[in-house]
Amino acid sequence: MANCCAVATVIVSSEPNATYALVNDPQHVVFLQQRCRIYGSSEVSIATASTAPARLRLALEEMAVGVTKGFLRLEAAVICAGSTTICDEEEQALVEQMTQEIAGNVTSRGPWRLSLRRHDRLRVYRDLWERGYVVTFGSKFGADFLIYKDNPKHAHAEALIMVKDYEEEFARVDIVSFCRMAKMVKKQFLFASVQAIEESKSDDEQKDGSGVAMKSIVYISLAYALLVSRQEERNLA
């Protein structure tokens, strides 16, 4: 790819969390997976399954990293009318607004607005990606993300990541459940929380180069909790 930038068509939903994007160009799919560590999920159209290669479906977290790092451009869907294509101006404006929000540049006040928890997920995903991991989604294990050191098709996940609010409380039984899940799949389990930088720091110190307030990501391993749950199991035996 000469311009080193993939293009994805945004499928906007009235429910922001359900919004996603599709990469249709096979070369762009290869570029994202092999050079950018963005693997997405394959989506094959039933009507063209026998002739067309699978498209790549990107979640908001993957879109946000691509936009922020400059290797992905988001476009509104176009409508074909005979030999011409039409792009709805309102749809394009919404995509531009969404692009700014997922990149962390603005907080939308319009109808398309992400929850604070989803923003935390975007930040955690980006942080893990910047640490060199391949990040996929871990819903089948009851987690938010899975992290790999290599291509997910050729390697096992290193850890399960669960995103929690920094001040969030949860029951002890939940910790035991997470530990048991980690034990069953033989993976490390980490809580990830977004922590705001101390208010005592100056405004300049609290913002990154784009003028966005900086936040740090805190990771907590459940290794110790796993030992506790094992001890409880021995006591009950």
Side-chain angles (χ1 to χ4, degrees):
M1 292 176 58
N3 58 0
C4 292
C5 184
V7 177
T9 301
V10 179
I11 310 301
V12 180
S13 170
S14 57
E15 169 52 47
N17 286 326
T19 296
Y20 62 95
L22 290 174
V23 182
N24 297 299
D25 190 316
Q27 290 186 336
H28 291 192
V29 172
V30 172
F31 168 72
L32 289 173
Q33 293 183 335
Q34 295 187 1
R35 295 184 57 183
C36 305
R37 290 181 282 112
I38 299 294
Y39 281 82
S41 57
S42 297
E43 181 169 290
V44 180
S45 171
I46 297 177
T48 60
S50 60
T51 59
R55 300 178 296 181
L56 193 67
R57 177 169 175 156
L58 304 179
L60 288 170
E61 289 79 2
E62 295 162 321
M63 294 158 61
V65 167
V67 168
T68 304
K69 298 301 180 180
F71 58 74
L72 179 68
R73 186 174 76 253
L74 302 179
E75 295 183 346
V78 297
I79 302 173
C80 295
S83 59
T84 61
T85 57
I86 303 172
C87 182
D88 184 86
E89 292 184 2
E90 184 176 342
E91 189 84 358
Q92 183 61 41
L94 183 58
V95 169
E96 291 175 359
Q97 169 202 320
M98 184 199 72
T99 299
Q100 292 297 315
E101 175 155 347
I102 65 174
N105 296 332
V106 296
T107 299
S108 172
R109 295 184 179 180
W112 199 96
R113 183 189 306 177
L114 292 176
S115 65
L116 293 177
R117 171 168 169 74
R118 193 60 186 266
H119 273 294
D120 284 351
R121 279 175 52 108
L122 297 183
R123 292 187 180 99
V124 170
Y125 183 99
R126 175 178 170 179
D127 183 71
L128 292 167
W129 185 90
E130 289 177 339
R131 291 171 184 265
Y133 290 106
V134 174
V135 189
T136 64
F137 298 90
S139 57
K140 66 180 180 180
F141 294 112
D144 288 301
F145 305 121
L146 301 174
I147 55 174
Y148 299 79
K149 290 184 177 179
D150 202 350
N151 186 331
K153 296 179 181 179
H154 305 143
H156 293 290
E158 297 289 320
L160 311 176
I161 309 293
M162 175 71 75
V163 180
K164 291 286 187 180
D165 183 83
Y166 190 71
E167 302 292 339
E168 183 176 351
E169 296 182 1
F170 44 94
R172 184 179 180 183
V173 66
D174 291 335
I175 296 180
V176 174
S177 297
F178 293 143
C179 289
R180 288 176 175 167
M181 170 59 74
K183 179 182 177 182
M184 282 193 302
V185 297
K186 299 180 180 180
K187 303 184 191 309
Q188 188 178 10
F189 201 106
L190 299 173
F191 282 124
S193 297
V194 178
Q195 181 184 26
I197 287 182
E198 298 176 7
E199 296 180 359
S200 60
K201 294 188 176 181
S202 68
D203 290 342
D204 290 339
E205 290 177 314
Q206 293 186 53
K207 295 183 178 181
D208 60 18
S210 63
V212 179
M214 293 178 63
K215 296 178 182 289
S216 62
I217 312 297
V218 179
Y219 296 96
I220 301 174
S221 171
L222 282 184
Y224 176 74
L226 180 56
L227 293 176
V228 173
S229 68
R230 284 176 176 169
Q231 183 61 49
E232 290 177 343
E233 289 172 353
R234 292 194 193 99
N235 293 339
L236 291 173

